Amino acid sequence: TGLAELVLMGLSIAAGLPIPLLAVQILWLNLVTNGIQDVALAFEAGEKGVMKLPPRSPKEGLFNRKMIEQVLLSGLLMALVCFGVWAFLLASGWEEATARNAIFTLLVLMQFYHVMNCRSETTSVFRIPIKNNPMLIGGMILAFVVHVLATEIPFMQSLLRTESLSIQYWLQFAAIGVIVTLVIELYKRITRPVA
């Protein structure tokens, strides 16, 4: 999601559009909504069948090819989707602050989808039992509640420059965010190692 934020900002500047995220919003994304889930992801149970896979090469670095491919694919995808929505909202006459609030929330929702993708580099998100990591589910719920409060409580609205969103927009942005899961699922299927 950090890569997505960088590319989103770069594309907006290159296109001559206003910046889609404020510094405080980027900080919120990285430390709060993403940070809570990152910590919880560390409690993921080990994958079944991992011992049947061939060993990693001792020459392989910490960031192997598969990890780099997934980071690039997911980061660029999230950035392009958010940039497309940002450009569309501004062209549709949305006020800059309202459109920025929408992109901020869209990125938060995409983080929720993507953290589920990150539970395994090879196994489908639909094949990993929820019970494998109750900490992650709790972390996602906590991050979601905290973000909803950030869009509803006046003090947080003032701090993060957010606004209330109708349930219609929450549902629309949740539907748009699914694209991250669909593309990463396709990537996993194409690159799945043969046992």
Side-chain angles (χ1 to χ4, degrees):
T1 55
L3 175 63
E5 293 161 14
L6 286 171
V7 174
L8 172 60
M9 299 294 274
L11 286 173
S12 297
I13 292 167
L17 296 176
I19 58 169
L21 297 168
L22 301 175
V24 69
Q25 293 172 336
I26 293 172
L27 195 61
W28 177 266
L29 286 165
N30 293 337
L31 295 180
V32 181
T33 56
N34 203 17
I36 292 170
Q37 295 173 90
D38 288 349
V39 171
L41 192 60
F43 293 91
E44 189 67 35
E47 292 186 61
K48 289 183 179 178
V50 72
M51 296 305 289
K52 294 179 182 176
L53 297 174
R56 291 172 61 154
S57 168
K59 296 178 182 176
E60 187 177 275
L62 178 63
F63 300 106
N64 63 21
R65 179 179 175 158
K66 191 168 199 72
M67 180 185 287
I68 292 169
E69 286 175 356
Q70 285 191 5
V71 167
L72 289 173
L73 178 61
S74 58
L76 292 174
L77 177 66
M78 286 189 276
L80 291 172
V81 168
C82 287
F83 176 73
V85 173
W86 175 240
F88 173 78
L89 294 178
L90 292 176
S92 299
W94 282 43
E95 289 184 17
E96 186 180 314
T98 304
R100 184 174 287 121
N101 181 57
I103 294 303
F104 183 41
T105 296
L106 176 58
L107 257 175
V108 167
L109 293 171
M110 292 180 104
Q111 286 178 343
F112 293 140
Y113 289 113
H114 190 53
V115 75
M116 296 300 284
N117 294 334
C118 293
R119 296 177 72 196
S120 170
E121 285 186 336
T122 56
T123 305
S124 167
V125 68
F126 303 109
R127 294 185 178 271
I128 304 172
I130 295 289
K131 65 181 181 181
N132 278 14
N133 194 345
M135 289 285 289
L136 180 61
I137 304 309
M140 290 174 68
I141 292 168
L142 175 61
F144 180 75
V145 168
V146 167
H147 186 72
V148 169
L149 292 175
T151 64
E152 297 298 327
I153 296 174
F155 166 73
M156 295 301 290
Q157 288 176 330
S158 174
L159 181 67
L160 294 170
R161 305 294 189 265
T162 57
E163 304 171 3
S164 293
L165 281 171
S166 70
I167 190 69
Q168 171 193 348
Y169 288 123
W170 278 101
L171 293 174
Q172 286 177 356
F173 296 144
I176 292 169
V178 170
I179 193 168
V180 176
T181 298
L182 299 178
V183 171
I184 296 298
E185 283 294 305
L186 181 61
Y187 170 84
K188 287 179 182 180
R189 182 175 292 272
I190 291 169
T191 62
R192 184 171 293 138
V194 179

